[in-house]
Amino acid sequence: MTAQKRIKSALISVYHKEKLDVIVRKLDELKIQLISTGGTAKFIRELGVDVTEVEALTGYPSILGGRVKTLHPKVFGGILGQRALDNDVEEMKQYDIPEIDLVLVDLYPFEETVAGGGTQDEIIEKIDIGGISLIRAAAKNYSDVLIVPSQSHYTDLIELLDRKKGMTDTQDRLRFAQAAFAVSSHYDTSIYHYFSSPEPEYLKFSSHDYKSLRYGENPHQNGRFYGSLDDLFEQIHGKEISYNNLLDIDAAICLIDEFDASSFGIMKHNNACGFATRESLSEAWKDALAGDPISAFGGVLVTNRTIDSDTAAEINKIFFEVVIAPAYSEEALQILRMKKNRIILVRKDGTMPDYQFKTLLNGVIWQNRDKRRESEKDLKTATLEHPDEQQVKDLLFANILVKNTKSNAIVLAKNNQLISSGVGQTSRVDALKQAIEKARNFGFDLDGAVMASDAFFPFKDSIEIAYEAGVKAVIQPGGSIRDQESIDFCNEKKIPMVFTGIRHFKH
């Protein structure tokens, strides 16, 4: 049974006033009594509409610099009183508490103040107390009261008033109450994150923004993205981004952000199948594609430079799902827009979170993001032979790539180009063999290449195989109880091996 109720009185206390004039006039037309606070009451009065100030209802002025306005039994009694309970009705009459049927609230902009770089005092003062209490009280008593918890719900209220002329039923009130608790929990989560350390003790995540995806990882699964992609990208062309696109886009951004020099990458199933750093972007693209032109089909392309017409003409020769760049020339866009479904993203300056989490078993696992990037000073040469200048560059280049490749992972690189990689294998030897086979299939000469591993080599067998294939320098974390066997082999063959001391697993 859905109980129909007429709105006879409304309490309005809002921060944002946009569209409030439309609501106020509609409430006035429906002969609904208005109660309001300070600035909102002034706004209503300037519209020529009668309004009772909260101070007149409670007998108390706004005190403590506006911190206490609505926190009074005559306000909360009018919201929480249950009309179906005779005892509540009698008490409300005894204490002269009027029924309040509609509560319209828009909270202080706490998140916006934090994001805008407000001072601590400014941020603290934007923690709403009265407003959040009004929302929770009205939502709790949704059987009698309609709660409108934020500016984003003004339009829904206007539509309801137009359609039902001041009447509501239980389903209407329940729907708004659900939204109200979403608003209040999100607000409290934002405050918690402001006060918590970089590694909070409690896991709290909340997002009002979400995007329904065509499907999840597979067509029979539903998918959503929670968050604001618009903070990171502007999509200027193409079809809707899919769940699997997002996984590759995330991997692409994590990888390209590790490079300062002009670079181009091709991602497939969250791994780089091609990557190169070059002076010319078009040359970076050509050498990235050479790494694995077969896997590049249907991939996600990413660069940290403006895509010009020459580069666009080259990448337009293959089928790919997504391209990401900080900017595009007009001529490049004309070329890239030739395919109507091709997703073209412009990278913005938005930042990625410092942490990652995912559901696992009956809980969630959390970690801070692997932002460690080794430099030349972090390399410890374990062998008698030291790497030369170009080898150091290639070793650091390969180390970044292997860090961003699914374990077990081996990367072979030469002259700032990804030659090949072995990804996601159950043994490091298998990953290496896969990488060597791929390199040879695409005509690469491995003589002089370097090898990177995401974890230590438990035995020297991988290094022996790599040496026979032409590898002339090795980078790995080190730390195996058999490191000395690998060091002895490298010394015998006069090839340098450096330790980073840092493992970079990726699952």
Side-chain angles (χ1 to χ4, degrees):
M1 191 83 178
T2 58
Q4 293 278 341
K5 290 185 177 290
R6 177 172 295 282
I7 301 171
K8 293 172 287 185
S9 61
L11 171 63
I12 305 175
S13 180
V14 301
Y15 186 87
H16 292 101
K17 309 296 192 294
E18 293 83 0
K19 289 191 178 179
L20 183 60
D21 57 332
V22 178
I23 293 172
V24 167
R25 289 195 170 99
K26 287 185 181 296
L27 294 175
D28 187 49
E29 289 170 9
L30 294 167
K31 310 299 183 187
I32 294 171
Q33 179 191 1
L34 304 185
I35 306 166
S36 192
T37 58
T40 306
K42 181 175 181 290
F43 177 88
I44 294 171
R45 201 174 293 110
E46 288 174 351
L47 294 174
V49 175
D50 288 338
V51 59
T52 300
E53 294 211 30
V54 165
E55 289 90 337
L57 174 66
T58 64
Y60 277 87
S62 172
I63 61 173
L64 305 180
R67 283 190 169 194
V68 180
K69 294 191 286 281
T70 58
L71 297 170
H72 193 280
K74 282 202 172 184
V75 174
F76 281 86
I79 295 169
L80 287 166
Q82 299 174 81
R83 280 57 155 176
L85 294 184
D86 291 341
N87 187 63
D88 281 16
V89 173
E90 286 300 318
E91 285 190 347
M92 291 172 73
K93 286 181 180 178
Q94 179 183 352
Y95 296 108
D96 193 24
I97 298 173
E99 294 181 356
I100 297 174
D101 307 310
L102 166 65
V103 176
L104 175 57
V105 177
D106 183 60
L107 298 170
Y108 291 161
F110 177 82
E111 284 184 284
E112 292 86 344
T113 306
V114 173
T119 66
Q120 183 170 345
D121 286 345
E122 290 170 337
I123 290 168
I124 295 300
E125 287 308 308
K126 287 299 186 290
I127 298 176
D128 206 312
I129 303 300
I132 203 78
S133 302
L134 291 171
I135 288 174
R136 291 177 61 84
K140 176 177 180 176
N141 200 26
Y142 74 89
S143 58
D144 294 307
V145 180
L146 179 69
I147 173 62
V148 181
S150 74
Q151 183 187 31
S152 64
H153 298 93
Y154 288 4
T155 300
D156 293 336
L157 174 62
I158 292 168
E159 186 275 331
L160 183 62
L161 293 172
D162 285 339
R163 183 163 49 86
K164 294 196 171 181
K165 308 302 179 186
M167 298 293 293
T168 67
D169 60 34
T170 305
Q171 287 305 113
D172 296 325
R173 297 189 296 275
L174 176 60
R175 176 167 57 91
F176 277 87
Q178 290 169 337
F181 284 119
V183 168
S184 65
S185 63
H186 179 81
Y187 196 77
D188 285 340
T189 297
S190 301
I191 295 169
Y192 168 75
H193 282 301
Y194 174 74
F195 282 101
S196 66
S197 65
E199 296 187 11
E201 183 177 358
Y202 306 104
L203 176 63
K204 306 285 184 182
F205 175 78
S206 178
S207 174
H208 280 324
D209 297 315
Y210 76 87
K211 177 183 178 64
S212 292
L213 306 173
R214 297 198 303 273
Y215 50 81
E217 203 163 8
N218 299 291
H220 62 275
Q221 295 172 275
N222 296 327
R224 283 184 176 182
F225 174 80
Y226 287 92
S228 179
L229 287 175
D230 291 341
D231 291 344
L232 294 179
F233 308 104
E234 179 187 0
Q235 182 173 351
I236 58 177
H237 187 74
K239 63 185 178 181
E240 288 188 13
I241 298 173
S242 73
Y243 184 100
N244 291 321
N245 288 154
L246 286 171
L247 292 175
D248 279 331
I249 289 169
D250 177 72
I253 294 303
C254 289
L255 176 57
I256 201 68
D257 280 356
E258 302 233 32
F259 289 89
D260 300 318
S262 175
S263 302
F264 220 120
I266 307 169
M267 309 302 295
K268 195 70 174 288
H269 297 296
N270 317 145
N271 296 299
C273 61
F275 200 95
T277 293
R278 296 288 183 265
E279 290 292 327
S280 159
L281 190 62
S282 61
E283 289 302 315
W285 161 253
K286 289 176 184 177
D287 287 343
L289 180 62
D292 189 344
I294 295 176
S295 296
F297 182 87
V300 169
L301 315 185
V302 64
T303 182
N304 53 7
R305 293 293 188 272
T306 298
I307 294 183
D308 54 35
S309 58
D310 290 343
T311 307
E314 290 299 320
I315 67 177
N316 195 50
K317 294 176 181 178
I318 72 164
F319 168 73
F320 59 89
E321 289 266 347
V322 183
V323 59
I324 310 163
Y328 305 81
S329 72
E330 280 302 318
E331 296 81 2
L333 285 177
Q334 290 178 11
I335 296 168
L336 296 174
R337 283 174 170 152
M338 289 180 180
K339 303 291 185 182
K340 68 176 183 178
N341 288 329
R342 180 179 287 161
I343 297 168
I344 303 175
L345 299 178
V346 178
R347 178 82 185 276
K348 295 182 181 178
D349 292 332
T351 57
M352 303 276 275
D354 291 330
Y355 56 86
Q356 300 168 307
F357 61 89
K358 64 182 290 186
T359 58
L360 188 74
L361 299 175
N362 62 342
V364 172
I365 53 175
W366 180 101
Q367 66 176 357
N368 38 27
R369 189 179 292 277
D370 186 357
K371 299 168 77 171
R372 175 69 181 262
R373 180 170 64 172
E374 288 73 50
S375 64
E376 185 173 354
K377 65 181 176 58
D378 298 310
L379 305 183
K380 177 184 176 183
T381 303
T383 53
L384 298 174
E385 196 79 16
H386 286 257
D388 61 31
E389 183 178 351
Q390 183 57 48
Q391 283 177 327
V392 169
K393 291 179 181 178
D394 283 342
L395 289 168
L396 291 171
F397 174 87
N399 192 56
I400 292 174
L401 289 170
V402 83
K403 168 189 168 183
N404 289 276
T405 302
K406 288 187 177 181
S407 303
N408 286 311
I410 292 290
V411 161
L412 302 178
K414 187 177 179 180
N415 296 326
N416 293 323
Q417 179 186 18
L418 172 60
I419 301 299
S420 64
S421 58
V423 304
Q425 298 302 302
T426 52
S427 84
R428 209 155 296 282
V429 171
D430 286 344
L432 173 59
K433 289 179 178 178
Q434 180 191 58
I436 292 170
E437 182 181 1
K438 285 184 67 176
R440 287 172 175 166
N441 286 343
F442 294 120
F444 284 104
D445 179 7
L446 287 174
D447 186 43
V450 304
M451 174 174 68
S453 174
D454 61 334
F456 65 67
F457 291 106
F459 304 98
K460 66 177 181 177
D461 50 1
S462 293
I463 298 175
E464 291 173 336
I465 294 168
Y467 174 77
E468 291 299 322
V471 168
K472 293 298 188 290
V474 178
I475 185 170
Q476 61 145 318
S480 168
I481 59 174
R482 295 183 177 86
D483 275 348
Q484 192 58 51
E485 295 177 13
S486 298
I487 293 170
D488 290 343
F489 177 81
C490 289
N491 284 336
E492 178 189 341
K493 302 301 180 182
K494 297 184 179 180
I495 63 172
M497 180 166 63
V498 299
F499 290 166
T500 64
I502 299 295
R503 187 184 73 186
H504 291 293
F505 272 168
K506 180 185 177 187
H507 291 98

